[in-house]
Amino acid sequence: MDAATTSAAEKVPAEIWLEIFALVPKSTDLYSLSVASRRFHDLTTRALHLDLVWLKQSHAAQNLAVWERNEGMEPYVRSLEISLGCPPSTVQNALSTNDWLFGDNTPAARLAAADVRRNFTEATERVTGALWERVQRFTNVSSLALVDMYIDKDHFRLIHSLPQLRSLRIEACVFQANAAEGFDNRKLPITELTMLNVRRGHDAHVNHDPMIMNLQQFQQLQLHGPPAGPGAGAPMWINPPDPFAQALSLAVAENLRTLSVDASADVFRYVFGSSDAPARGWTVPASIEELYVVRKRTITAPEPKQSPHWAGAQSTFPDTHLYHFCAQAPSLKVVSTPIFVPAQVTIAAEALPLGLERFAAPVETAQFIATVRDVKALGLLKCGLSSREGVTALASIALVRPGLKMLMMECKGWDAEIVSAVSRHFKELRRLKIVYDGPGPDENFLVSLAPDFLAEMPELHTLEMYQLPPRGEFAPVHPPFLWDSSFASIEDELRDTLIGWTRFCPNLRKVQLVSGYAMTRGFEGGLWKLEKVRRLEQIEYLDY
């Protein structure tokens, strides 16, 4: 900075600069500002620590020095994503298998290995303690993510101590027994909850073996005597609470609006479908508006081989519990799930939320929903499993919902007739997504795609049309080119393709023709730029 600029910057109060820096979206830009002057270096430190990602304990430990040099930053932290430590026993067990690293199996070597294990465990506990003590000072966090952790009472105490908490994500975590005991999750202020790949701790299992349960109840009967008279209800020892269900009952937060889960966090069965849900006050939040169930695989996944002993067996998630959940949620506007009801269950139209606006499910279910609810965005999963299923479904849906704004289709194979049917039936589309298994359209089809089909949808701003990765995976492919290897890069090749689309599709802002790359531009006539896609979404949000 020159002297005049520095002088002007010095006159601006620090509070104003802090407000400005808090609006800078990229940390790289903040780092650039931090080297402009000594004052900016001091002021940007707080802005750089508004949103923390502490996924590696070593990186978080190095960051502690910054907090010690800059006191008073803790109340300004607004989001935290953390993966913090594991039980000391886990560390000791992991190290005990590597004794061979410290020499042969002599008494001296074993003693040295024991010293290393002890020192490492003590160091880990010290660092974890220091980080955890710091985390508890982040009293104004509005977004919290716990990743790959052992969840115990301290974590639930932290969750309940954050009055500004609105978004909570728990992923790849293990709930230890009684972690949520004594906490009323209905009073949490969260409006958004995500629980993925969660598991019971080894001490959080409920034994459902009839003989063992009868023995336990007999022992409790001897200890406590018979249950009270009629109307008093069964004592808790007759039907002991499931500690895992208590942890999952985060989903009963009264202000919850968005819920995202996978099969590991089956709140529909263990929480809202449990026999004692009414007695516990576990009711579907009246404010719930969006429900997303994560897909584990796409249509490209091979059919799992089943053992003869398990012939006909299949996953029960989400069974009918999801359907019953939706019937109790009158405010629901969005439902996106790979399975809505089992094949043998008939959906009662009158039981569905009246305000459904976005819906994604297997094609038969989605087609039915479109006929009974005024949806604006529709996802048709598992299309094309029978001959021309997708084209037939589109014709039927167009009779009742020609004004769709967003359409998503997951097809077993590429069918050019689908694109033709879409452009013919849905003139008001703003976003179109067609993903498919196997080979897709050739270069000539894509060149003529805009004048022949996309021009029929003048409001279209996003087109996603690409081949899904094999084996049901969500890791996109990043080819060096599509068809012509003479281009310097795939960005040049895609840009060359889109040049011919410009006058037919002036409103287009995003085009994805391959799973690993998307082309975007900020305005009509702007330069198309390549964006790399790191991972495909496992949830269809159906936004438009």
Side-chain angles (χ1 to χ4, degrees):
M1 281 188 178
D2 56 34
T5 305
T6 302
S7 177
E10 292 291 341
K11 294 179 181 179
V12 178
E15 291 76 12
I16 302 298
W17 283 121
L18 291 174
E19 291 291 334
I20 294 173
F21 293 154
L23 300 175
V24 177
K26 294 183 179 180
S27 59
T28 52
D29 295 333
L30 284 172
Y31 279 115
S32 299
L33 289 169
S34 69
V35 299
S37 70
R38 181 179 297 276
R39 188 170 191 240
F40 274 20
H41 178 273
D42 295 337
L43 292 174
T44 54
T45 298
R46 180 180 295 178
L48 285 167
H49 291 79
L50 294 175
D51 304 293
L52 298 179
V53 179
W54 285 356
L55 294 182
K56 290 188 177 180
Q57 187 164 288
S58 57
H59 294 171
Q62 293 172 3
N63 193 239
L64 284 177
V66 177
W67 294 90
E68 293 172 357
R69 290 195 303 268
N70 299 271
E71 297 182 358
M73 292 199 306
E74 290 87 353
Y76 296 94
V77 176
R78 60 191 179 191
S79 70
L80 173 64
E81 182 176 4
I82 187 170
S83 179
L84 185 59
C86 56
S89 60
T90 303
V91 177
Q92 292 177 354
N93 292 337
L95 284 174
S96 65
T97 62
N98 296 323
D99 284 354
W100 57 272
L101 292 174
F102 308 113
D104 55 18
N105 195 22
T106 62
R110 294 178 64 84
L111 183 61
D115 289 340
V116 170
R117 289 198 302 272
R118 182 174 59 256
N119 293 337
F120 181 82
T121 301
E122 291 175 353
T124 299
E125 290 177 342
R126 284 196 300 271
V127 172
T128 300
L131 290 173
W132 184 246
E133 190 273 336
R134 183 70 58 175
V135 165
Q136 294 179 83
R137 300 187 196 177
F138 302 153
T139 54
N140 291 318
V141 166
S142 62
S143 176
L144 176 63
L146 306 178
V147 181
D148 194 16
M149 298 173 64
Y150 284 80
I151 305 297
D152 58 21
K153 278 186 175 295
D154 287 337
H155 299 93
F156 270 86
R157 193 173 293 112
L158 171 67
I159 292 171
H160 280 263
S161 70
L162 300 173
Q164 305 299 324
L165 186 63
R166 296 297 179 267
S167 175
L168 175 62
R169 176 165 63 93
I170 300 178
E171 184 171 353
C173 290
V174 177
F175 288 111
Q176 295 193 343
N178 303 322
E181 185 179 5
F183 296 97
D184 185 359
N185 293 322
R186 293 174 297 179
K187 301 303 180 182
L188 282 174
I190 59 174
T191 59
E192 180 179 351
L193 174 64
T194 301
M195 292 190 289
L196 307 175
N197 193 23
V198 295
R199 306 181 301 281
R200 298 174 182 265
H202 63 85
D203 52 355
H205 287 274
V206 176
N207 199 321
H208 293 288
D209 182 88
M211 293 184 63
I212 296 180
M213 290 180 67
N214 290 338
L215 177 61
Q216 292 173 340
Q217 292 181 9
F218 177 74
Q219 293 172 338
Q220 294 290 339
L221 181 63
Q222 287 185 316
L223 181 63
H224 299 287
M236 187 167 291
W237 56 263
I238 288 186
N239 295 301
D242 183 355
F244 187 60
Q246 179 68 30
L248 295 182
S249 70
L250 290 165
V252 304
E254 293 176 346
N255 296 319
L256 194 66
R257 290 202 296 267
T258 302
L259 176 63
S260 304
V261 297
D262 63 5
S264 70
D266 191 355
V267 297
F268 314 113
R269 175 189 297 271
Y270 294 114
V271 179
F272 302 106
S274 64
S275 59
D276 58 347
R280 290 172 171 270
W282 289 352
T283 58
V284 177
S287 56
I288 191 80
E289 294 181 351
E290 301 181 18
L291 174 63
Y292 302 102
V293 178
V294 175
R295 294 190 297 165
K296 288 297 185 182
R297 59 180 189 171
T298 66
I299 201 169
T300 65
E303 290 296 325
K305 295 181 179 179
Q306 295 182 349
S307 166
H309 300 289
W310 296 94
Q314 55 183 331
S315 173
T316 60
F317 178 80
D319 205 355
T320 58
H321 294 89
L322 171 60
Y323 173 46
H324 294 313
F325 174 92
C326 293
Q328 300 174 60
S331 298
L332 265 181
K333 297 180 180 179
V334 184
V335 176
S336 179
T337 174
I339 301 176
F340 186 63
V341 291
Q344 70 275 13
V345 175
T346 301
I347 301 175
E350 64 275 8
L352 298 172
L354 295 175
L356 270 181
E357 297 176 356
R358 292 180 278 162
F359 188 86
V363 59
E364 300 88 351
T365 304
Q367 185 175 341
F368 172 78
I369 296 297
T371 63
V372 298
R373 291 293 179 267
D374 187 17
V375 293
K376 302 300 181 184
L378 194 63
L380 310 178
L381 306 180
K382 303 180 182 178
C383 292
L385 298 182
S386 60
S387 178
R388 305 189 63 78
E389 183 179 33
V391 174
T392 304
L394 290 175
S396 175
I397 293 168
L399 295 175
V400 290
R401 301 288 171 250
L404 279 181
K405 304 300 183 183
M406 189 275 172
L407 177 65
M408 179 270 170
M409 300 184 70
E410 181 194 45
C411 305
K412 184 59 179 175
W414 168 254
D415 186 355
E417 285 299 316
I418 285 181
V419 180
S420 175
V422 169
S423 65
R424 186 169 60 253
H425 294 308
F426 306 102
K427 306 291 186 180
E428 300 178 23
L429 278 184
R430 299 176 185 175
R431 179 184 172 202
L432 173 61
K433 181 177 181 180
I434 301 175
V435 294
Y436 51 86
D437 183 18
D442 58 21
E443 184 176 8
N444 292 330
F445 181 88
L446 288 183
V447 169
S448 62
L449 180 61
D452 291 350
F453 304 113
L454 302 186
E456 299 293 326
M457 299 174 284
E459 299 180 30
L460 191 70
H461 60 70
T462 300
L463 173 67
E464 298 152 288
M465 191 171 69
Y466 55 85
Q467 178 182 355
L468 288 167
R471 299 182 298 278
E473 298 173 352
F474 292 89
V477 296
H478 300 96
F481 58 89
L482 288 184
W483 302 282
D484 192 345
S485 60
S486 64
F487 283 94
S489 66
I490 191 172
E491 181 176 16
D492 291 341
E493 184 181 8
L494 289 170
R495 186 179 293 134
D496 182 73
T497 300
L498 296 180
I499 287 176
W501 293 16
T502 303
R503 70 187 183 95
F504 300 101
C505 310
N507 290 321
L508 264 184
R509 298 294 181 267
K510 178 180 178 180
V511 176
Q512 186 175 356
L513 300 178
V514 61
S515 62
Y517 297 107
M519 297 292 285
T520 62
R521 63 176 179 175
F523 52 90
E524 182 180 351
L527 180 67
W528 288 99
K529 296 182 179 180
L530 186 74
E531 292 184 359
K532 189 173 184 179
V533 178
R534 304 292 180 181
R535 184 169 177 81
L536 300 178
E537 291 182 342
Q538 291 183 250
I539 295 177
E540 293 297 340
Y541 291 101
L542 305 175
D543 51 308
Y544 56 88

